[in-house]
Amino acid sequence: MTAAAPATTNVRASWLLGFWHSAIGKKAVMAVTGIFLFVWIFLHMAGNLKVYIGPEHYNAYAGFLITMGAPLLPAKGALYAVRALLLIAVWLHIQAATQLTLMNRRARPVGYANRDYVSAGYAARTMRWGGVIIVLFVIYHLLHLTFGTVHPDFIEHDVYHNFVTGFQVWWVSAFYIVANLALGMHLYHGLWSMFNSLGLSHDRFNSWKRGFATVFALVVTLANISFPIAVLIGVLR
Amino acid sequence: MDLTLQVWRQASRTAEGKFVTYEAKDISPDASFLEMLDVVNERLTERGEQPIHFEHDCREGICGSCGMMINGIAHGPAGGTATCQLHMRHFKHGDEIRVEPWRARAFPIIKDLMVDRSPLDMIIQAGGFISVNTGSAVEANTLLIPKAVQDRSMDAAACIQCGACVAQCPNGAAQLFTSAKVAHLGLLPQGQPERYERVVRMVEIMEEHFGSCTMYGECEAVCPKEISIDFIARMNRDYIAAKFKNRKSEANG
């Protein structure tokens, strides 16, 4: 095979773009942004566990998030930097997913009259609609507990109060539980398949991938679901 | 055994197709699925009807010609087998069996259960080879290859290009096929000089025709040669590495 001239002329500027244009490149981007989003979700969950220690600790933790990085950074500096990164990661994750989904729909314009799944589990088959549920939930979640727009009794900087009064509405809690089950399913498949998207396969640790994804999906989901339940049964008041 | 078949009949690439029901009576449980279709076709021919068209050649599971969706599973329910090696003892007397062709944009139907799988050949043409001067065979021990590497390369080379991975994949992706072809050369010393160029060329052609991988694992489950999806991870790794390795040389080219 002799080295043929590359298809594009301005390769210097476009190699990164070319990587993004390939489906494997997009999957790698989805894996990297997915890892970032997962780490954030894990820390978000871990931070919220402080609600069980008491209102003072929980509110102090919320205060720390505002002053995080001081005195190097101004108040909310690090917080907004992380939020900006999250927005970029979510954007890339969803754009890649949407484009790949359309590519896959095009690859099979005529479906089967009946098809059977041999190995694809429920989590794998619901990644796309599960993702949609998660996005809708995140929008509600921000309006509910970050901006307080849809919160019935929102007090700025008293996050413990907002947390408890927010979850005392039963259907809000129900929505949180459903959304976190969807998140758990998404993580169950995503945390497993990201290794393959990044080409990480090795006989020694391949058998650990499934366990890794299961444990972290379970920990995040159970902890997150415990919050509304704890309020509803009166453990947190 | 007596069976009821619902078979996709389509006269040509552009014609409208539909399921037609056939009674398959007195079928031996020792017959293969293709032999069962032969019996049905024999009776159709006697009645002056068009026989059901399907592709076949070796009928011993190594050529990759045959393949159809049987009750919604590529190559049928047995697993690790091509359609020609699927025997009727896997079915019960009175079963209803639905038979469909592979469905993918890249695999247009030629007639009935026969599809055109040329895009798989195009992927091979893009890089599924090594460039050497042909001549007399090199002495076998000139290049020493560890047994484990040989074995893994052979696991990948077992691919018979039947297209079941594409047919079964909900995304219509050809990742398992392409990754097997990339790996069986990429693992061996003879394949090293073109290793990164090869993966980029083959993936580019693949993505022109097929969908992308979401790790359903369906392909691995129906592959008659039981090729592992670990090869897909390997292809992804080589592709990502190639994009970073080649960017300087590409920019200067």
Side-chain angles (χ1 to χ4, degrees), chain A residues 179-190:
Chain A
N180 273 286
L181 289 175
L183 175 67
M185 302 286 271
H186 206 77
L187 290 176
Y188 178 77
H189 184 69

Side-chain angles (χ1 to χ4, degrees), chain A residues 1 104 108 115 119 199 203, chain B residues 103 131 152 168-169 212 218:
Chain A
M1 185 156 50
N104 296 339
R108 177 165 298 129
R115 71 154 298 148
S119 75
D203 290 347
Chain B
R103 290 202 187 275
S131 304
R152 183 147 303 188
Q168 185 71 19
C169 177
S212 75
E218 290 285 300

Side-chain angles (χ1 to χ4, degrees), chain B residues 16-78:
Chain B
E16 282 278 307
K18 64 174 194 296
F19 283 103
V20 179
T21 307
Y22 298 101
E23 298 298 327
K25 291 197 191 303
D26 298 324
I27 300 295
S28 161
D30 297 327
S32 75
F33 201 85
L34 299 188
E35 284 164 347
M36 181 275 292
L37 286 177
D38 288 340
V39 172
V40 173
N41 275 344
E42 201 66 39
R43 293 169 189 165
L44 283 176
T45 314
E46 279 167 15
R47 293 210 304 261
E49 289 178 42
Q50 278 274 331
I52 301 159
H53 283 61
F54 59 88
E55 201 172 341
H56 65 101
D57 191 12
C58 75
R59 299 210 177 196
E60 50 191 18
I62 55 170
C63 78
S65 297
C66 66
M68 48 197 79
M69 295 298 278
I70 300 165
N71 284 339
I73 299 173
H75 291 308

Side-chain angles (χ1 to χ4, degrees), chain B residues 138-144:
Chain B
V138 181
E139 206 281 315
N141 290 324
T142 312
L143 267 177
L144 297 177

Side-chain angles (χ1 to χ4, degrees), chain A residues 44-67:
Chain A
H44 184 60
M45 176 277 293
N48 277 329
L49 284 175
K50 294 195 194 305
V51 79
Y52 289 117
I53 311 176
E56 310 78 33
H57 280 92
Y58 192 58
N59 284 347
Y61 168 67
F64 157 75
L65 292 180
I66 291 172
T67 57

